[in-house]
Amino acid sequence: MKEFIINASPLETRIALFEDKRLTELLIERQESPSIVGNIYKGRVDSVVPGMQAAFIDIGFEKNGFLYVSDIAGAEGTGDIELEDGVPRAKTRAKRARQQPIETMLKKNQFIMVQVIKDRIGNKGARLSNYITIPGRFVVLMPTVSTLGVSRKIESDKERDRLKRILQQVRPQGMGLITRTAGEGRSKADFQNDVRYLTRVWDRAKQKFETMKGPGLIREDLSAVLRAVRDQFTADFERLLIDSQTEYDRILSFLENLAPQLKRRVKLYRGKMPIFEKMGIEDEIEKALRRKVPLKSGGHICIDQTEAVIAIDVNTGKFTGKKQLEDTVFQTNMEAAEEIARQVRLRDLGGIIVIDFIDMQYEQNRRKLLRHFSEALKKDRAKITISEINELGMIEMTRKRVKHNLVKALSQPCPYCEGCGLVRSVTTVTFDVIRRLQGMFCQSKEKHVVLQVHPDVARRLRSEHKELLDSIAKSFDREVTIESVSDFHIHDVAMLRARTRKEITAES
């Protein structure tokens, strides 16, 4: 059973996907930073960087977008193209290696049509592509290439062959088409209607590109809610529940032409309690930000994210099992595999992921675990590669992110630990304060010093290290007063003049 729960407010839109009554995906789009992925722009080449085989493109924002040579239509020459993360690319590295140099294709101040494939992140501009893709309900139109393809999610060879024959018949001259997963089992007429609409959209985009004077937006993609409806809302959904009358009306209007049979599954939430709180989603979001994820059996998994790799560790925790150790470990690993597949989707973890399952003695159990984990990952829309279980019980996998990493989208690095998750201990800070005080005595002639520190550090200095502190003050013929400041961070230290309460600066 699948369902969408959507909270649409003036500040942000949150779209939750439930599968079998469990939260598996969450999309958050805020009004202050709306996604521009899928938007088509008229861009002006600001600079070409041969050393990086890339160009910076002005699309009308303060920060230029970034265009790699591999994302320029025609750079790969003729040959097989595949759709990777919504972007057409040459299938093999050899074909990509034969791409033309970017400096022979683009010149400064040249105008080029581009599409955003990754949003701006921090100081980085948007990632752009010159391969234009216009998604419909059943197909994706690729007007800049002539490739035909079928979604990887459609596994039946017979159905794939049928869809390829239909694509050959409905393809516009010189353009490419990719069948979406929703196209499985659809008729030729369905595809013809989709293609007819998409070619009209492309004609309007071309016309606007020709008439626009400078860089700017040519075509804006659908809102987050309508994108979710277009891309995912199919007959296998039990319902779509939304708390906004305006968005509810828009969805019904959108489905009128797209899939009128689904309109009856769209429901308007009228309750006074916030919809995410009513459905228990707020608690699920809170759990998704935690490092430790409990399992039903009593075991748990720990998820640690770094710049280069994501490490997931499986532990039996409180679960001791009822039989032998191997059975306990196997059951914990099987349960963890399902939860890891869900957490990877929910948090939208990307890049290299290393999973340390608990080591199992029997090879047959390892094979069962790998099959079970692979099956759980099939529900994920992202592109995934997965390795065998090695002798240490580890699996390595790679995953292409679909949207923004949930933890990074909802949080920021701690200003104290700078994202490492650790701060110096009270003992370490106490010793550091004593050393800094000695150094200050050597450089300043101030007789009476007020030492302001965190309460835990103050306690140490007044008790365990009082004798040492008094000895140091006596040897320099100084007087030290310790003050605890409740709102100080553990690292904060201030050395003040006793009379003026000004920070002491070293004297030469």
Side-chain angles (χ1 to χ4, degrees):
M1 188 193 78
K2 289 184 181 180
E3 59 180 342
F4 270 133
I5 309 296
I6 303 177
N7 165 224
S9 73
L11 298 178
E12 67 179 359
T13 297
R14 300 186 295 173
I15 304 172
L17 172 63
F18 274 75
E19 292 178 354
D20 297 325
K21 297 185 178 181
R22 299 200 73 193
L23 180 64
T24 55
E25 289 185 22
L26 180 68
L27 172 66
I28 299 175
E29 187 168 299
R30 290 179 170 156
Q31 191 65 36
E32 62 183 27
S33 55
S35 173
I36 59 172
V37 170
N39 289 0
I40 301 173
Y41 293 87
K42 181 173 184 176
R44 180 185 59 81
V45 179
D46 189 57
S47 62
V48 179
V49 187
M52 298 174 66
Q53 283 299 292
F56 290 96
I57 311 294
D58 177 9
I59 57 173
F61 291 98
E62 183 179 347
K63 198 76 178 176
N64 287 338
F66 197 69
L67 178 67
Y68 283 108
V69 66
S70 57
D71 292 319
I72 301 176
E76 77 293 329
T78 59
D80 291 336
I81 302 292
E82 66 177 351
L83 200 66
E84 182 180 315
D85 303 328
V87 182
R89 287 198 176 93
K91 280 188 176 181
T92 64
R93 286 188 179 182
K95 290 183 183 297
R96 290 195 287 271
R98 292 198 294 269
Q99 290 167 337
Q100 298 177 41
I102 194 167
E103 60 269 28
T104 66
M105 306 181 71
L106 297 180
K107 303 297 179 186
K108 185 176 173 63
N109 294 323
Q110 175 184 341
F111 286 103
I112 181 174
M113 187 185 292
V114 291
Q115 188 169 34
V116 177
I117 57 176
K118 279 189 181 178
D119 275 315
R120 295 161 289 180
I121 300 177
N123 294 323
K124 294 181 180 179
R127 172 83 180 271
L128 307 175
S129 175
N130 175 238
Y131 288 108
I132 307 301
T133 58
I134 306 175
R137 178 66 168 172
F138 307 121
V139 294
V140 177
L141 178 68
M142 300 184 296
T144 56
V145 294
S146 57
T147 298
L148 297 178
V150 177
S151 167
R152 295 192 308 270
K153 299 287 185 180
I154 300 175
E155 298 179 348
S156 167
D157 290 336
K158 185 177 179 180
E159 177 64 3
R160 293 179 70 86
D161 291 340
R162 184 187 76 87
L163 291 173
K164 286 177 183 176
R165 288 195 297 271
I166 292 176
L167 293 184
Q168 290 281 7
Q169 296 165 14
V170 303
R171 170 170 58 176
Q173 184 71 30
M175 299 187 192
L177 292 172
I178 298 283
T179 302
R180 309 191 72 176
T181 309
E184 187 172 10
R186 310 302 301 200
S187 67
K188 179 180 176 181
D190 291 327
F191 287 101
Q192 285 176 323
N193 292 334
D194 225 13
V195 170
R196 197 175 296 119
Y197 163 73
L198 295 176
T199 50
R200 286 199 301 269
V201 171
W202 171 240
D203 289 339
R204 287 196 295 269
K206 283 194 302 181
Q207 185 178 8
K208 192 167 183 180
F209 178 84
E210 296 297 334
T211 56
M212 281 183 70
K213 297 293 185 182
L217 179 66
I218 292 176
R219 179 182 184 265
E220 187 174 15
D221 201 8
L222 298 174
S223 67
V225 172
L226 294 186
R227 282 201 309 270
V229 172
R230 178 193 66 195
D231 296 343
Q232 292 179 265
F233 191 50
T234 54
D236 58 347
F237 273 75
E238 183 174 283
R239 67 171 176 170
L240 183 156
L241 185 64
I242 188 165
D243 62 358
S244 164
Q245 179 74 57
T246 303
E247 290 295 335
Y248 171 76
D249 293 338
R250 282 179 183 162
I251 293 172
L252 293 184
S253 177
F254 185 67
L255 287 173
E256 183 64 42
N257 296 320
L258 188 72
Q261 72 279 7
L262 295 178
K263 288 173 62 176
R264 61 184 176 83
R265 304 191 186 193
V266 181
K267 309 293 182 184
L268 177 63
Y269 176 76
R270 301 179 185 273
K272 291 185 178 180
M273 183 182 287
I275 187 171
F276 269 34
E277 191 171 333
K278 175 75 173 177
M279 305 299 294
I281 302 173
E282 298 291 6
D283 291 339
E284 288 291 325
I285 295 173
E286 179 64 30
K287 291 176 184 176
L289 298 177
R290 297 176 189 167
R291 173 179 176 265
K292 188 174 177 179
V293 181
L295 302 174
K296 289 181 181 179
S297 65
H300 63 268
I301 62 174
C302 292
I303 303 173
D304 293 295
Q305 301 186 48
T306 69
E307 289 294 324
V309 69
I310 295 167
I312 302 178
D313 187 42
V314 181
N315 296 282
T316 54
K318 298 177 182 178
F319 181 58
T320 56
K322 296 180 180 179
K323 299 180 182 179
Q324 298 178 358
L325 174 62
E326 179 76 5
D327 295 327
T328 302
V329 169
F330 177 67
Q331 188 174 336
T332 302
N333 280 340
M334 293 289 274
E335 188 180 347
E338 285 190 27
E339 186 61 33
I340 290 169
R342 186 176 81 95
Q343 290 292 331
V344 163
R345 288 177 68 191
L346 179 57
R347 300 176 188 227
D348 200 21
L349 303 178
I352 300 171
I353 304 172
V354 177
I355 305 160
D356 186 9
F357 286 103
I358 307 168
D359 191 27
M360 293 180 291
Q361 182 178 354
Y362 302 122
E363 180 63 29
Q364 63 186 31
N365 285 343
R366 294 186 182 188
R367 288 197 298 269
K368 286 179 183 177
L369 173 63
L370 185 61
R371 284 198 300 270
H372 186 64
F373 187 44
S374 299
E375 196 63 32
L377 289 171
K378 284 185 178 180
K379 298 176 183 177
D380 199 332
R381 290 183 295 138
K383 184 178 180 181
I384 293 173
T385 61
I386 182 170
S387 73
E388 297 288 333
I389 302 179
N390 63 25
E391 62 276 6
L392 299 176
M394 294 183 180
I395 288 180
E396 292 181 18
M397 60 179 282
T398 61
R399 181 180 183 272
K400 294 280 189 179
R401 279 203 307 268
V402 177
K403 51 189 184 302
H404 282 302
N405 180 295
L406 186 65
V407 173
K408 292 181 180 178
L410 295 180
S411 57
Q412 64 183 29
C414 170
Y416 299 114
C417 71
E418 296 181 346
C420 73
L422 299 169
V423 293
R424 282 179 288 168
S425 66
V426 174
T427 300
T428 301
V429 174
T430 303
F431 292 171
D432 186 49
V433 167
I434 293 172
R435 284 191 292 267
R436 287 173 62 180
L437 191 64
Q438 284 181 278
M440 190 274 294
F441 284 160
C442 292
Q443 295 179 290
S444 172
K445 297 176 182 178
E446 193 65 33
K447 285 291 185 180
H448 189 182
V449 175
V450 176
L451 186 61
Q452 293 185 333
V453 291
H454 185 274
D456 290 345
V457 178
R459 266 191 297 274
R460 288 286 187 92
L461 292 172
R462 288 171 180 156
S463 55
E464 296 175 37
H465 305 298
K466 184 179 186 302
E467 189 175 328
L468 174 61
L469 192 63
D470 288 345
S471 173
I472 293 171
K474 185 177 180 181
S475 67
F476 282 95
D477 191 23
R478 308 294 171 90
E479 185 179 346
V480 179
T481 299
I482 300 168
E483 289 186 357
S484 64
V485 184
S486 58
D487 59 353
F488 263 27
H489 180 260
I490 190 71
H491 292 176
D492 291 342
V493 179
M495 296 180 186
L496 310 177
R497 299 179 188 276
R499 288 167 298 174
T500 62
R501 291 295 176 118
K502 289 185 178 179
E503 192 85 26
I504 296 174
T505 55
E507 298 175 5
S508 57

